[in-house]
Amino acid sequence: MVILLRIGEFSKKTGVSIRSLRYYDEIDLLKPAEIDLFTGYRYYREEQVNDLEIINKLKSLGFT
């Protein structure tokens, strides 16, 4: 079973702002698993938390 989190839930779980998540989507760094075509809501998979942790580690090492 695939668990999808809305952007706000994903933000709270990861500690990354919604604004940053939207920016990461815009620059193709971390794309949402799904986007609802009707509402425009972004949904992330539970597994993407790991991807975001890697991004944060790389940022802490000085990568842009």
Side-chain angles (χ1 to χ4, degrees):
M1 181 170 141
V2 177
I3 297 173
L4 293 176
L5 304 169
R6 287 172 63 172
I7 193 170
E9 298 167 322
F10 192 73
S11 172
K12 286 179 186 174
K13 185 171 188 115
T14 61
V16 175
S17 71
I18 292 173
R19 182 175 180 203
S20 292
L21 291 170
R22 288 183 178 140
Y23 177 69
Y24 292 166
D25 179 18
E26 183 180 312
I27 64 170
D28 294 329
L29 181 62
L30 183 69
K31 302 296 274 180
E34 291 183 25
I35 298 176
D36 185 300
L37 297 176
F38 182 71
T39 63
Y41 288 167
R42 292 168 171 88
Y43 293 92
Y44 293 86
R45 290 186 320 271
E46 183 78 29
E47 297 83 24
Q48 288 180 286
V49 170
N50 295 329
D51 298 335
L52 196 52
E53 288 174 356
I54 292 169
I55 291 168
N56 285 333
K57 286 179 186 176
L58 291 171
K59 270 181 67 177
S60 72
L61 293 172
F63 288 86
T64 57

